[in-house]
Amino acid sequence: GRAVIYLQANIHGGEVEGKEAALAILRDACRGKYPLWLPNLVIVCVPVYNVDGNEALGPGLRQRGHQDGPDPVGRRTNDDRLDLNRDCLKADSPEMRGVLTRVWKVWDPHVVLDLHTTNGTRHGFSLTYSPPLGADVDAAIQHWSKKVLLRDVSDKLREKHGILTFDYGNSSSRSQPRSWTSFSPQPRYVTNHAGIRNRFGILSEATSFLPFAHRIEATTLFTSTVITHVAAHVDDVIRICAEADQRSRQMADEGGKLGLSFEAVSRGPEQVLLEKKNPEVRTPPHKGPAEVESIVHDVRVDFRAVTSRSVPAGWLVPREETQLIERIRLHGLQHEVLAGDQLLTTESFWITEVTASPRPYQNRINRTIDGELREENHIAKIGDVLVPSRQAQVRTAFWLLEPDSSDGATTWSLLETPLRVGTPHPIRRVQLVAKQ
């Protein structure tokens, strides 16, 4: 009957407020400061997620040029030069593999809190936040995250502590009014990954040019207020996650679709606090603005699907695709290893174009493909892997296994089979899977 919260910090070495805040929060919880927590919650905490980056100390203004201390400070990436907040689906790093096997498999947390520091737009907020992004995150998960949890937390921080917060994003003056836009809805990011698993993912981004002590305070207050809200609404949190899981299992049977490409959509004009420019005052980039002003922005922190595709009954992965099959197991996707040859009705994605990035990104060549789906009878071989869509993690399977997914096996070059124009993609969409 307890909700499980996974609290992680310092995924980017050098963004250090989270590890300080997490330890302070755990200390205070054990001293009885938060009486609702221990009876109602299990808290799994990793204060230093990126140990490599945390220990790679260097001068603060070299490592984090827009951050007001501390000095020295760690490095963003791990020792393989991976940005660990791009690794959730491809799972190349030992850190992400550890989370999948030791956190998701064991605890299946209802809420994931990922603590960061942002050095983007020079705004007037102590902290910015985000729910899981993406048009295809379960609607109830999205609604409770945005309209209930984060709205309540933002109000409490402003009214009780004078801490101003806003949706994570960056300002652009390319349009009038200016736009305020969030990051990508892809599940390579920690909190989006939680969202496609039908769980609440909450991003915290302290503002880097504010004094170190204030960043810790803002992160501590935001995180503890989120956790206290969850502790007071445990039944709602558990119920919403369970109902989202059930809707996911029924998606293919009910003709559901999921997105392949997305665009930001407006929620309307809002006032956003930005640094007030003064040509006579030169503020160092690691120090806060001398003055801020309120400017109208078109706030674009939600997404809609531009192109969508029906969810098949399942996906067939050839036995030769060992890298991908390992990821299927790591993510805990339900799957069946075929015990014999089997004739299946499938949709094959026949490739008409293949594009490869000129240089590696995150240590992998990124690929995109174009093509068309054709219905075909296909003989699945003994040892091939069948991943049914009738499971709670259907969104994870869709993102990982759809041939032209922008964050899946094709994108991250997880496939052993060469992708060539005029040939079918090795992963096939299965049109009928016998009920287990």
Side-chain angles (χ1 to χ4, degrees), residues 24-43:
I25 286 168
L26 295 181
R27 175 199 64 202
D28 292 345
C30 292
R31 288 177 173 175
K33 183 175 181 178
Y34 309 109
L36 286 178
W37 290 17
L38 295 182
N40 295 327
L41 304 173
V42 173
I43 300 177

Side-chain angles (χ1 to χ4, degrees), residues 249-269:
R249 295 184 188 100
Q250 298 168 348
M251 190 175 292
D253 294 339
E254 296 177 355
K257 292 185 176 183
L258 291 172
L260 288 168
S261 64
F262 304 86
E263 68 179 8
V265 295
S266 172
R267 75 177 187 200

Side-chain angles (χ1 to χ4, degrees), residues 273-293:
L273 295 175
L274 294 187
E275 179 179 29
K276 187 173 183 178
K277 302 293 185 181
N278 184 344
E280 298 180 1
V281 178
R282 186 179 183 279
T283 304
H286 65 288
K287 295 295 183 180
E291 190 177 357
V292 296
E293 61 181 338

Side-chain angles (χ1 to χ4, degrees), residues 204-264:
S204 167
E205 293 269 6
T207 304
S208 64
F209 50 70
L210 297 179
F212 186 36
H214 181 74
R215 302 198 311 264
I216 296 172
E217 178 190 25
T219 303
T220 301
L221 288 170
F222 176 81
T223 305
S224 60
T225 305
V226 169
I227 296 174
T228 297
H229 188 104
V230 172
H233 300 85
V234 167
D235 291 344
D236 288 341
V237 168
I238 294 174
R239 173 184 55 79
I240 291 169
C241 291
E243 290 175 353
D245 283 349
Q246 184 56 32
R247 283 190 290 273
S248 295
R249 295 184 188 100
Q250 298 168 348
M251 190 175 292
D253 294 339
E254 296 177 355
K257 292 185 176 183
L258 291 172
L260 288 168
S261 64
F262 304 86
E263 68 179 8

Side-chain angles (χ1 to χ4, degrees), residues 68 142 180 184 222 231 242 304 352 389 401 425:
D68 189 4
Q142 287 282 37
W180 182 266
S184 161
F222 176 81
R304 74 175 183 90
T352 58
S389 61
L401 300 177
H425 194 278

Side-chain angles (χ1 to χ4, degrees), residues 2-308:
R2 298 183 185 189
V4 179
I5 291 180
Y6 172 50
L7 172 61
Q8 75 168 38
N10 214 32
I11 192 170
H12 294 146
E15 299 182 17
V16 289
E17 297 70 37
K19 66 178 179 181
E20 305 294 346
L23 293 171
I25 286 168
L26 295 181
R27 175 199 64 202
D28 292 345
C30 292
R31 288 177 173 175
K33 183 175 181 178
Y34 309 109
L36 286 178
W37 290 17
L38 295 182
N40 295 327
L41 304 173
V42 173
I43 300 177
V44 181
C45 182
V46 178
V48 180
Y49 181 86
N50 180 1
V51 177
D52 297 344
N54 185 71
E55 300 304 310
L57 295 173
L61 293 182
R62 186 186 71 195
Q63 305 271 59
R64 299 276 301 171
H66 294 76
Q67 185 165 295
D68 189 4
D71 192 19
V73 75
R75 181 193 64 221
R76 181 180 177 90
T77 62
N78 74 353
D79 275 356
D80 293 323
R81 295 302 193 267
L82 289 174
D83 184 331
L84 299 177
N85 200 29
R86 308 292 186 272
D87 194 44
C88 288
L89 217 60
K90 64 182 174 66
D92 278 340
S93 69
E95 293 86 354
M96 187 60 204
R97 290 163 178 253
V99 167
L100 289 171
T101 55
R102 304 285 182 157
V103 177
W104 283 109
K105 184 178 179 181
V106 176
W107 294 103
D108 189 15
H110 299 91
V111 180
V112 174
L113 274 155
D114 190 27
L115 310 184
H116 290 249
T117 314
T118 183
N119 57 358
T121 292
R122 291 177 62 82
H123 55 66
F125 304 102
S126 295
L127 182 146
T128 52
Y129 53 74
S130 179
L133 301 176
D136 291 330
V137 173
D138 182 87
I141 297 283
Q142 287 282 37
H143 175 81
W144 200 84
S145 299
K146 298 175 185 177
K147 306 298 185 183
V148 180
L149 173 64
L150 288 171
R151 180 175 292 178
D152 179 68
V153 168
S154 184
D155 289 346
K156 281 187 168 65
L157 292 178
R158 183 184 67 254
E159 294 164 5
K160 295 178 64 175
H161 306 286
I163 299 288
L164 299 182
T165 61
F166 197 67
D167 298 79
Y168 176 85
N170 285 286
S171 176
S172 172
S173 58
R174 294 177 183 174
S175 61
Q176 289 299 324
R178 298 172 70 112
S179 63
W180 182 266
T181 307
S182 193
F183 61 103
S184 161
Q186 293 165 315
R188 63 185 63 180
Y189 302 96
V190 169
T191 49
N192 293 352
H193 173 241
I196 69 165
R197 296 182 72 119
N198 300 325
R199 302 296 181 259
F200 298 97
I202 305 299
L203 172 70
S204 167
E205 293 269 6
T207 304
S208 64
F209 50 70
L210 297 179
F212 186 36
H214 181 74
R215 302 198 311 264
I216 296 172
E217 178 190 25
T219 303
T220 301
L221 288 170
F222 176 81
T223 305
S224 60
T225 305
V226 169
I227 296 174
T228 297
H229 188 104
V230 172
H233 300 85
V234 167
D235 291 344
D236 288 341
V237 168
I238 294 174
R239 173 184 55 79
I240 291 169
C241 291
E243 290 175 353
D245 283 349
Q246 184 56 32
R247 283 190 290 273
S248 295
R249 295 184 188 100
Q250 298 168 348
M251 190 175 292
D253 294 339
E254 296 177 355
K257 292 185 176 183
L258 291 172
L260 288 168
S261 64
F262 304 86
E263 68 179 8
V265 295
S266 172
R267 75 177 187 200
E270 296 181 33
Q271 298 286 340
V272 177
L273 295 175
L274 294 187
E275 179 179 29
K276 187 173 183 178
K277 302 293 185 181
N278 184 344
E280 298 180 1
V281 178
R282 186 179 183 279
T283 304
H286 65 288
K287 295 295 183 180
E291 190 177 357
V292 296
E293 61 181 338
S294 184
I295 298 176
V296 173
H297 282 69
D298 179 21
V299 176
R300 306 173 69 82
V301 294
D302 300 299
F303 290 85
R304 74 175 183 90
V306 177
T307 56
S308 299

